[in-house]
Amino acid sequence: MQDTPGSLPRQFLVIFGERVKSRRRDLKFTQAELSAEVNISRTALTNIEKGNQRTNVFLLARLAHALKTPPGDLIPDLSEAKQRLQQAKQVSVSTPSDAELLTGELQKLNISVESTGGLDRALHEVQSRHAKSPSSKRRTSP
């Protein structure tokens, strides 16, 4: 089971964490109070609420008991996690990498970038052009 940001297990953990956090807030518990009640660190509870940490069945039972709710109310349905995952994939926008952005800017200056060592050579060429341009010369006052 892989918990990558765009995975079903990750979405499941995020929804579970949201439910724990929501119920905790409904009961006006602080993270410190709830974590002490279930005998885990506040950091562990924060990670659970953010969907960054798995819980075992025993901890699930302790959380449910402390939150005065049946364990099933904290566990999301897999179809809900699948739906959330599909929605996330639909709204995700691919952003270009820094290398792609740099390559695009260099191409605007008519500087080609080769795949191996190209960025280093291109950077050197930009520096050379800048050093040769009249606007780059420092003006000194008499």
Side-chain angles (χ1 to χ4, degrees), residues 32-95:
E33 291 169 334
L34 180 58
S35 60
E37 180 73 23
V38 297
N39 198 29
I40 59 174
S41 70
R42 191 195 56 75
T43 302
L45 180 59
T46 298
N47 287 328
I48 289 168
E49 288 183 353
K50 289 181 177 182
N52 294 333
Q53 182 170 319
R54 298 178 189 185
T55 61
N56 61 40
V57 176
F58 185 63
L59 179 54
L60 168 64
R62 291 190 334 241
L63 283 166
H65 178 75
L67 294 171
K68 301 171 179 59
T69 190
D73 287 354
L74 298 175
I75 300 172
D77 185 85
L78 282 178
S79 62
E80 182 181 355
K82 284 180 185 177
Q83 182 180 14
R84 176 96 56 104
L85 182 60
Q86 286 176 339
Q87 289 170 345
K89 286 181 179 178
Q90 288 173 355
V91 298
S92 67
V93 177
S94 175
T95 57

Side-chain angles (χ1 to χ4, degrees), residues 104-115:
E105 290 301 312
L106 290 170
Q107 286 173 344
K108 289 178 189 176
L109 298 170
N110 294 323
I111 299 172
S112 64
V113 178
E114 298 169 18
S115 59

Side-chain angles (χ1 to χ4, degrees), residues 12-20 48 55 60 63 74-76:
F12 182 89
L13 291 173
V14 167
I15 296 168
F16 173 76
E18 290 170 354
R19 290 181 178 188
V20 169
I48 289 168
T55 61
L60 168 64
L63 283 166
L74 298 175
I75 300 172

